[in-house]
């Protein structure tokens, strides 16, 4: 298990589906980033959750459920997964909009990069986002990731950022490990 000053990371369970859908993924500002149609259904969220659990089983790593320590609420996800059809490992994150702009995605992302480099032994981690997703680009930049190229992803242009284990600086937000 990982934790940071404000966040606990735990495994998702099928029981998270309702809250994940209702409070986070179906929110219009989240759905417009997650889905080309701008909306996401309960069924699509269920498939996504199932794929997340499957990724952990197949590869031994994946996306964590983020719990806000102060109010004990599930507020989103952050973790690592294979970028579709590539050997690249991608940093992924999404938060409930009620918790945006407090530095929480950056805090979570830093903990996950540290886990990826120090525990999983990865040499490089990538992140991909749309050109209009300024918040996500800012998170990548604050984590020390560098823009490398623009690529096609799911049929649209996407900015591709990378960071190597040598470039990563874990010192800005200490990560507590337990278990
Ligand atoms: C991307 C996301 C996870 C960021 O979460 P967050 O906790 O608000 O992120 P942080 O607070 O750590 O940092 C956000 C940064 O973006 C900036 N930002 C946010 N919205 C912005 C906007 N519209 N224009 C300019 N800057 C913006 C914030 O000011 C902050 O930068 P700063 O610290 O330099 O001021 C959140 O916006 C989200 O869940 N978005 C929808 C899903 C998504 O985009 N996921 C990523 C897919 S690649």
């Amino acid at each position: 298990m990982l934790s940071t000053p404000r966040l606990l990371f735990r495994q998702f369970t099928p029981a998270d589906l309702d809250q994940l859908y209702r409070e986070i993924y179906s929110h219009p500002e989240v759905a417009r980033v997650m889905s080309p149609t701008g909306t996401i259904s309960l069924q699509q969220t269920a498939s996504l959750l199932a794929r997340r659990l499957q990724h952990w089983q197949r590869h031994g790593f994946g996306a964590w459920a983020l719990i806000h320590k102060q109010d004990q609420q599930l507020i989103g996800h952050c973790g690592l997964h294979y970028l579709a059809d590539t050997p690249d490992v991608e940093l992924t994150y999404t938060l409930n909009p009620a918790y945006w702009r407090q530095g929480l995605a950056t805090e979570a992302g830093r903990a996950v990069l540290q886990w990826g480099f120090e525990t999983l032994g990865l040499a490089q981690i990538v992140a991909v986002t749309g050109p209009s997703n300024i918040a996500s680009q800012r998170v990548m930049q604050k984590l020390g990731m560098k823009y490398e190229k623009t690529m096609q992803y799911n049929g649209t242009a996407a900015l591709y950022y990378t960071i190597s284990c040598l470039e990563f600086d874990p010192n800005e937000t200490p990560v507590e490990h337990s278990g």
Side-chain angles (χ1 to χ4, degrees), residues 33 93-95 100-101 103 105-106 128-129 133-134 136 138 142:
V33 174
Y93 41 71
T94 289
L95 259 60
W100 286 3
R101 289 181 176 253
T106 306
V128 172
T129 196
N133 194 338
I134 306 297
S136 186
R138 276 298 299 145
K142 289 193 289 178

Side-chain angles (χ1 to χ4, degrees), residues 64-145:
W64 306 84
L66 294 180
I67 309 299
H68 194 255
K69 281 183 180 173
Q70 199 179 4
D71 58 19
Q72 290 296 302
Q73 289 303 303
L74 170 66
I75 64 162
H77 81 260
C78 184
L80 298 172
H81 59 203
Y82 281 109
L83 189 62
D85 305 323
T86 76
D88 290 346
V89 174
E90 182 192 17
L91 173 67
T92 172
Y93 41 71
T94 289
L95 259 60
N96 179 333
Y99 294 81
W100 286 3
R101 289 181 176 253
Q102 301 173 35
L104 287 166
T106 306
E107 186 171 316
R110 197 178 304 281
V112 165
L113 290 182
Q114 187 171 0
W115 172 63
F117 291 132
E118 294 182 3
T119 305
L120 304 180
L122 299 171
Q124 179 186 259
I125 294 171
V126 312
V128 172
T129 196
S132 62
N133 194 338
I134 306 297
S136 186
Q137 290 168 54
R138 276 298 299 145
V139 171
M140 295 170 190
Q141 290 157 5
K142 289 193 289 178
L143 291 172
M145 304 186 88

